[in-house]
Amino acid sequence: FFTPPLLAKAVLLQGDDMTQAYEGAKESLYPNWPLVFGREEAPLYNTLQLKDSFAWTYQAFQKSLGHSRSVLNYLGIRYIVGKNQFKDFKPLGGAGVLPEISENPTPGQKWFSVSKALAEGPYLAEDFDRADKSKMDYSRECFISNAAQAGSYRPREIIEDGEFPGRISLEARGRGKALLASCETGYPGWRAQVGEGEQAALRAVESINHSFRGLVLEDGETKVNFYYAPATFRLGLFLALAVCGLWMGCWLGFFIPKSRNSPPKVG
């Protein structure tokens, strides 16, 4: 996570000429650093971020310091680049190292289970006020858009069996009804399959905390597969195949000569 003052400095173009300004800007692209070291980018800097998730990450840090601290854990952010006010963060590097880097000792997992779900309100800002006032721990509680699923849940141990582009496999160890929660943005098109083999069944992906993905599991359900299958992709693929078929038909009709056995013209 990069502090706002550091990002504001990074976007300035400075130099005696355009070449110098460009080189300086390249060296200041702080959000690219995680990729250089083989780390994942914090959700705030994901270029595919949706409008609602951008609003979430922006407003989340407008509340108290305690609320910001809980949000950092929820987003799974391990490192902060730039000055911060969190007393339990461990400074990294020697004296005089710029920019300052500190480590969060308690980052959350990408997928976990919560013990309580509150029905979302109509406005994000109001829910943040509720969370701030109650000192909400996002690792134990969440807001959920489906009010029928609000209530208490049994905690589970979440094991990530595998993660690939467009697919995630999880094992939720434990008993009782559970609500799996994630800090991954709820992009449209994600689907969930619960169970294995012939017993596998599709399950609705829940929207939690206004912008993220969740899933309800009944007692006895432990295996989950998430896969990305947006309807827009399937529609685009169908249209592409249809266009290819049309062009192929036109090509065959234009280049293949007529049969020599065709009956002669009369008149």
Side-chain angles (χ1 to χ4, degrees):
F1 180 86
F2 301 84
T3 59
L6 198 63
L7 283 178
K9 181 181 178 182
V11 300
L12 293 177
L13 289 175
Q14 303 178 75
D16 297 333
D17 52 37
M18 183 58 69
T19 301
Q20 188 181 75
Y22 176 70
E23 292 297 329
K26 284 176 59 180
E27 294 178 0
S28 298
L29 290 177
Y30 302 125
N32 289 334
W33 287 2
L35 303 181
V36 174
F37 292 96
R39 302 285 182 175
E40 293 186 54
E41 291 179 291
L44 184 60
Y45 310 111
N46 190 324
T47 54
L48 296 178
Q49 192 170 42
L50 300 178
K51 180 179 179 180
D52 56 352
S53 62
F54 179 82
W56 195 95
T57 50
Y58 179 79
Q59 295 185 43
F61 295 102
Q62 306 301 313
K63 305 301 176 182
S64 69
L65 189 65
H67 185 264
S68 297
R69 183 70 181 80
S70 181
V71 167
L72 290 175
N73 283 347
Y74 170 60
L75 295 177
I77 293 174
R78 182 177 295 275
Y79 301 102
I80 285 190
V81 183
K83 291 182 178 293
N84 66 81
Q85 303 178 49
F86 304 111
K87 303 300 183 182
D88 60 330
F89 273 45
K90 177 184 176 182
L92 301 178
V97 175
L98 294 175
E100 296 181 15
I101 301 177
S102 54
E103 183 176 4
N104 178 6
T106 56
Q109 293 181 314
K110 187 178 296 184
W111 281 93
F112 55 96
S113 72
V114 296
S115 56
K116 186 178 181 180
L118 306 173
E120 282 184 3
Y123 302 107
L124 175 62
E126 292 180 358
D127 280 347
F128 274 143
D129 287 337
R130 292 166 59 191
D132 192 12
K133 185 177 181 179
S134 65
K135 298 182 179 180
M136 182 173 173
D137 183 349
Y138 286 93
S139 67
R140 299 174 182 270
E141 301 177 67
C142 72
F143 293 105
I144 190 167
S145 62
N146 184 356
Q149 299 288 12
S152 298
Y153 291 89
R154 295 287 298 276
R156 300 271 193 102
E157 179 187 7
I158 310 302
I159 306 297
E160 192 171 295
D161 291 337
E163 181 174 4
F164 309 92
R167 183 166 61 88
I168 302 172
S169 297
L170 302 175
E171 180 181 358
R173 299 177 180 175
R175 302 294 302 274
K177 189 174 182 178
L179 173 57
L180 308 191
S182 173
C183 64
E184 291 192 319
T185 305
Y187 294 113
W190 277 99
R191 287 162 171 71
Q193 190 176 53
V194 177
E196 295 179 299
E198 297 180 355
Q199 303 299 322
L202 293 177
R203 181 70 52 79
V205 176
E206 302 291 346
S207 173
I208 66 167
N209 294 329
H210 288 266
S211 301
F212 304 91
R213 298 204 303 270
L215 185 72
V216 174
L217 293 181
E218 301 296 337
D219 187 23
E221 297 176 337
T222 58
K223 295 288 186 178
V224 181
N225 284 296
F226 290 93
Y227 60 95
Y228 190 58
T232 51
F233 174 79
R234 295 198 297 272
L235 177 60
L237 184 61
F238 171 78
L239 293 177
L241 292 174
V243 171
C244 289
L246 178 62
W247 277 106
M248 180 62 69
C250 293
W251 184 85
L252 292 174
F254 183 80
F255 287 101
I256 295 180
K258 296 181 179 180
S259 174
R260 293 181 180 179
N261 298 323
S262 299
K265 293 183 179 179
V266 178

